[in-house]
Amino acid sequence: MKEKHLFWLLFLLLGISLFINVSINPLFLEEPRRAMVALEMYLQNNLLVPTLYGEFYYRKPPVFNWVILGSMQLFSEHPEFACRTVSIVSFLLMGLLSYWFCKKYHSEKLGQMAALLFLTSVHLLFYGSMFAEIDLFYSLITYASILSLFVFYTSEKRLLYFLSIYGLSAIGLLTKGAPSIVFLGIGLLAHFAITRNWKWFFSWQHVLSGLLFLAMLGGFALAYDQYNPIENLVNAVWRQSSDQTVANHGFGKTFIHFLTYPSTVFTDLLPVTLFFPLLFVPTIRKRLWNDPALQFISILFIANIFVYWISPGTRSRYVYMLYPMAVIICSWLFLEASKRYEWVENTLRGLNLFIVAICALAIGTLPLFASQIGLENAPIALAFPSLIPLLVIGYMSYKRRFSTQMWWLIALLIFARFQFDAFVLPARAETGEHMQYRVHGEMIAELTKGKKLWLYKYDTVNDEASLKFGHGFYIEWNRQDVLHSIERKNCEDVFLTQDFEVKNNRYELLYEFDRREDRWLLVRFTDCD
């Protein structure tokens, strides 16, 4: 087998691992909010104006909701699969973008390593790629826009250079808002600082693309304004972005964030960031700087990450679009090190064999301590056949098959994700409090079939912590109807309400459940006279 075939085999296995048990857990955390907004756009037949519980929703523009809704139409029986597929596909496409870019402008070996080491970075493999969040889709758009600067500049296609960056930035702006303006400005200024080709900057192609950018945004604004004042959306999106800055967190938190943020990026992107210190070797750093593609990646990464480095409200998911750029640099450092220093491959080989031994020991003794780690109901019998691929990986590493031991470390990470899918995700589905979202949603939909359902005296805008969007989404999904809140009761319809709101009323109790400290009741009022 050639390394090219090994790359595609590992990529395929990785893709499969990301989809195993993808629907076993209900939507939770931010997922049901995204899904609910998309669903309500469909239910209300309005793709321009996002709503939540029927109220105008201002935290994000609508593009991501369109993508989620399109996936829901394709996989209409499985909302969890539909929503999470968008993130998984975006994640895989980011890896393929890195592969294509590095193969075209440096070497296929760097493309293979950069793609797989990004896709198997520990934070994204075991956390970030699992949720139906906006961030990976938005990162795909932004990452493509950054790479387009180098691609079309080197091919001297001036019009495509500006059309791509402005077009993708417009899509990004209508996906997540203000951050796209920052990426657009920094990207152009940083690249022209490298090239110093200001003739391009002051060209008619730049002016035309800028006007088309404004036309796209203006067209959306005019259409949105037909239903709701556009300034409401603009002000809310801008305010949300500014909340992450030093102005809202103070100097103390900003200073602490400045000191600790590099460690966050370092740990998120393990294992490849272990080779980052090699950047301080002068001869290696000089070789990197003399490569046009790597120089571009380095400068664009530093220019963009600095904004988040000084913003204390930053979360890892906000900079997913910059992570593949860091991985490209670290992958190149690894390849350089493996050629220069024999200890690199020897150390990786020892690490691989150690991991294989630990995993084999854990699988062999799993029945003894499964109940102690919450896996008593897990399919333990499936663990033992997994020893076969584990030992194969160990054998290939021991025999030093292929040019680098990194192939087998990547294979071990993919193996770990398969085990995570088989044991951790089912256990989480059994014990997580989010399981109630789907159970209560289905039950309430069944009990209110053919009846009008309302939320009673519930502040859907400011009191989101109580009912949460998980309940709301599964109620709306199963009923295929928007759940609104009203202040006035009647005796014909059914109402979902908190117990303290109806303590002085007479009603027929149809269903009840707890949401942490709150008691929720499904009732039909009987004291309307």
Side-chain angles (χ1 to χ4, degrees), residues 182-183 186 254 257-258 261 298-312 314 319 322:
V182 178
F183 283 115
I186 291 177
T254 301
H257 174 77
F258 185 82
Y261 185 61
S298 300
I299 291 177
L300 268 292
F301 172 78
I302 294 170
N304 282 290
I305 200 72
F306 184 75
V307 176
Y308 293 91
W309 196 353
I310 61 174
S311 300
T314 296
V319 292
L322 303 180

Side-chain angles (χ1 to χ4, degrees), residues 31-291:
E31 293 181 296
R33 187 205 302 258
R34 310 297 178 208
M36 194 172 173
V37 172
L39 178 61
E40 289 193 10
M41 296 178 84
Y42 168 74
L43 295 175
Q44 299 189 113
N45 196 29
N46 189 331
L47 297 179
L48 289 172
V49 183
T51 63
L52 199 61
Y53 288 118
E55 302 290 336
F56 291 120
Y57 176 71
Y58 298 119
R59 294 176 68 89
K60 294 291 183 293
V63 167
F64 182 66
N65 305 317
W66 298 344
V67 179
I68 289 288
L69 182 56
S71 187
M72 284 180 173
Q73 297 299 305
L74 287 174
F75 308 107
S76 57
E77 298 300 318
H78 306 282
E80 298 87 2
F81 182 88
C83 295
R84 290 168 181 155
T85 290
V86 174
S87 291
I88 294 172
V89 171
S90 299
F91 181 47
L92 292 172
L93 287 176
M94 289 178 72
L96 289 178
L97 265 180
S98 289
Y99 170 72
W100 174 83
F101 180 84
C102 293
K103 179 182 177 182
K104 184 174 179 65
Y105 296 104
H106 192 278
S107 66
E108 185 171 15
K109 184 64 169 291
L110 178 60
Q112 293 167 346
M113 289 290 109
L116 290 178
L117 286 169
F118 167 69
L119 294 172
T120 56
S121 56
V122 291
H123 172 82
L124 285 161
L125 182 62
F126 295 103
Y127 184 79
S129 61
M130 295 174 55
F131 300 105
E133 280 280 16
I134 193 173
D135 303 286
L136 282 171
F137 173 75
Y138 176 70
S139 294
L140 172 65
I141 295 169
T142 306
Y143 183 43
S145 73
I146 293 172
L147 294 185
S148 71
L149 293 173
F150 188 86
V151 170
F152 293 119
Y153 186 83
T154 54
S155 60
E156 298 184 351
K157 296 177 180 178
R158 191 183 307 184
L159 183 58
L160 286 176
Y161 175 93
F162 288 109
L163 286 177
S164 61
I165 184 68
Y166 276 102
L168 289 169
S169 295
I171 296 172
L173 189 59
L174 295 177
T175 299
K176 198 174 181 180
S180 288
I181 299 176
V182 178
F183 283 115
L184 171 63
I186 291 177
L188 286 173
L189 290 175
H191 192 218
F192 281 110
I194 300 171
T195 63
R196 300 182 181 179
N197 188 351
W198 298 104
K199 183 179 178 180
W200 274 42
F201 189 84
F202 295 106
S203 65
W204 67 265
Q205 291 93 337
H206 192 178
V207 174
L208 175 63
S209 300
L211 291 174
L212 290 175
F213 173 79
L214 294 175
M216 291 175 67
L217 300 181
F220 168 77
L222 288 173
Y224 184 97
D225 202 62
Q226 301 299 310
Y227 301 94
N228 188 41
I230 186 62
E231 56 265 25
N232 293 342
L233 177 62
V234 172
N235 291 337
V237 170
W238 181 261
R239 184 168 56 251
Q240 184 186 9
S241 298
S242 63
D243 285 345
Q244 315 305 326
T245 63
V246 62
N248 286 289
H249 290 269
F251 177 78
K253 288 185 177 180
T254 301
F255 182 69
I256 293 173
H257 174 77
F258 185 82
L259 294 178
T260 59
Y261 185 61
S263 66
T264 299
V265 176
F266 182 88
T267 53
D268 282 352
L269 294 178
L270 286 171
V272 72
T273 42
L274 291 172
F275 297 93
F276 174 76
L278 292 169
L279 193 61
F280 297 99
V281 178
T283 55
I284 293 180
R285 186 170 63 249
K286 184 177 180 180
R287 279 176 53 80
L288 183 149
W289 195 252
N290 289 334
D291 186 287

